[in-house]
Amino acid sequence: MKKKWIPVVLLSIAAASIAAFFATAKLIENRIADAGVINTETRLIEEKAGLSLKYGNAHYDIFRGLVLTGVHIAERAEKGENVVFSSGQAIFQFPLLELLRGNVTPSRLILIEGRMNLSGKSDPRNRIEKLIAFLKHTSLDLEWRDVQINGLKDSADFAAKDVRLAGTLIVRDMETPALRLAVEFRDDDVFKIQGSWKSAPMERLFVRVESMPVRLPHLWMASFPYLPADADLRWKEGVINAEGSIDLTEEGYAFHLRGAFKHLQFSIPDTGFEARDLDGSF
């Protein structure tokens, strides 16, 4: 007889666990709604980062966090706005224990999919400084997942949708923010950046390039040493592997890379010059 009660007890425990799970999820959802997290974060993003955040719908997922869909982030401009991120999701994540204690403060902002515009009229360094000021003020870490880079153009052997950006900007509990970025091409990391962000006098970010196709537009050289700056250079084939750094100063930036290239092909249509299957180091 005792064995017959075992399934009943197990089902009762399972039912109680499911009921507790949904009750906890509803409790957390109500706490987030009552705290006005979206309005608070939207206001802080505008005040500290100079960015406006608009979205289509919002809902809470206990496994993911506060999910905003149809997200549109832009910076103010003299005429209109410069779009920074669009057509994606933004997720505010919360430490579960802190939520249960009543502390409704997000710890991470994740931008998923969508399109990110890396160009713009404002100074990129100033844009990053404003973003970091917002993240520090709110104790938020920032993460990108599977974000398409806007501005890249399709070609005969290249699809812009194949290039994606992933990375993190860690600010919480950090004296200097730590930056990690990876440019993905067809699901392979081809360009990695890692470093810490300091305002002055110079910031150095470490870079690793792995089997990077030279034909990726806007991600490699438009000119070549010893050739005229206005030469119409067309990269065709070849891959590059290298390590080094990027130095950023108030005057600009400089790449310091050392590595090798394989099976390099390029041409200069105006002159009829074409180079094929070059291997070497730089």
Side-chain angles (χ1 to χ4, degrees), residues 148-154 158 160-161 163 216-219:
Q148 183 176 333
I149 303 174
N150 236 8
L152 301 183
K153 298 180 180 179
D154 293 335
F158 172 84
K161 64 181 179 62
V163 180
L216 286 182
H218 307 297
L219 295 180

Side-chain angles (χ1 to χ4, degrees), residues 236 264-268 273-278:
K236 293 185 176 181
L264 191 65
Q265 296 185 31
F266 67 91
S267 65
I268 307 176
F273 176 83
E274 185 172 356
R276 297 181 180 179
D277 206 24
L278 299 179

